[in-house]
């Protein structure tokens, strides 16, 4: 229940802009957030492997 409440309150508009934290809009994960793609690393990996993020491909050498 506490996790659900924190997840819900994270998406509410904060009184001060400094209090806003980056959270993945897909899964709600607060850590490992990538600003460039606006998602966490787990969602980024999932979408990149499916080919849904343009310009991203798996590296190989």
């Amino acid at each position: 229940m506490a996790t659900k409440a924190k997840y819900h309150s994270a998406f509410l508009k904060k009184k001060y802009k400094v209090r806003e934290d980056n959270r993945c809009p897909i899964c709600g994960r607060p850590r490992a957030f990538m600003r460039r793609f606006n998602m966490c690393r787990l969602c980024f990996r999932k979408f990149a492997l499916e080919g849904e993020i343009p310009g991203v491909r798996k590296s190989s050498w």
Side-chain angles (χ1 to χ4, degrees), residues 6-52:
K6 182 143 177 88
Y7 176 79
H8 177 70
S9 67
F11 289 105
L12 295 175
K13 185 165 171 45
K14 305 291 188 228
K15 187 173 183 179
Y16 301 104
K17 188 171 178 129
V18 176
R19 293 183 183 173
E20 292 180 6
D21 60 336
N22 293 323
R23 218 172 247 271
C24 181
I26 301 161
C27 65
R29 183 181 170 90
R31 296 181 180 176
F33 182 81
M34 302 170 76
R35 288 184 181 183
R36 183 174 179 185
F37 299 101
N38 194 32
M39 62 180 73
C40 70
R41 65 177 181 86
L42 301 175
C43 294
F44 174 77
R45 185 173 189 272
K46 185 177 94 175
F47 288 124
L49 290 175
E50 292 174 359
E52 296 185 14

